[in-house]
């Protein structure tokens, strides 16, 4: 996990350009043409989040989304910190604050949840 954390630290300081999600994936496109992609995966020891970095060409289209989330509220935010820990990824955005992505299982399949999933009330 330390190797993963080291790779993820390379996007700290980048600005959020756009984001999209579905039940199994969360993707953020950052300035500098990099994307963070978080996938919900099933494993022998339970569900986990598999983070990866890619270039902007891998940023997924919205497509068919069962539970659409409007992520426009994080656009323009700066990534101040990211912590990946198996079943959770915690992002700290400025000025938006913390965003936690978690994985769980429903009907035998992993899915992602987000806290918060909309802009916090001020």
């Amino acid at each position: 996990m330390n190797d993963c954390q080291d790779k993820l630290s390379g996007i700290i300081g980048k600005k959020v350009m756009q984001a999209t999600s579905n039940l199994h994936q969360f993707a953020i496109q950052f300035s500098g043409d990099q994307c963070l992609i978080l996938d919900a995966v099933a494993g022998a020891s339970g569900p986990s989040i598999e983070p990866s970095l890619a270039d902007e060409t891998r940023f997924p289209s919205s497509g068919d989304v069962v539970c659409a989330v409007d992520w426009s509220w994080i656009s323009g935010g700066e990534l101040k910190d990211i912590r990946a820990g198996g079943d959770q990824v915690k992002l700290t955005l400025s000025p938006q604050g913390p965003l936690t992505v978690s994985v769980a299982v429903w009907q035998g399949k992993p899915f992602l949840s987000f806290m918060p999933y909309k802009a916090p009330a001020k």
Side-chain angles (χ1 to χ4, degrees), residues 16-71:
V16 174
M17 305 305 290
Q18 62 178 327
T20 189
S21 64
N22 60 40
L23 290 174
H24 312 287
Q25 189 177 73
F26 181 54
I28 302 174
Q29 181 183 354
F30 289 98
S31 58
D33 303 330
Q34 278 191 299
C35 294
L36 170 65
I37 300 174
L38 304 177
D39 288 302
V41 295
S45 59
S48 64
I49 298 175
E50 185 175 290
S52 61
L53 293 175
D55 66 54
E56 68 180 0
T57 61
R58 287 213 31 232
F59 187 80
S61 63
S62 298
D64 288 332
V65 179
V66 175
C67 300
V69 175
D70 177 6
W71 290 109

Side-chain angles (χ1 to χ4, degrees), residues 79-103:
L79 182 64
K80 293 293 194 179
D81 192 34
I82 183 167
R83 297 282 169 216
D87 64 348
Q88 278 191 342
V89 175
K90 295 180 181 183
L91 301 106
T92 304
L93 301 168
S94 179
Q96 295 87 347
L99 171 62
T100 301
V101 181
S102 301
V103 67

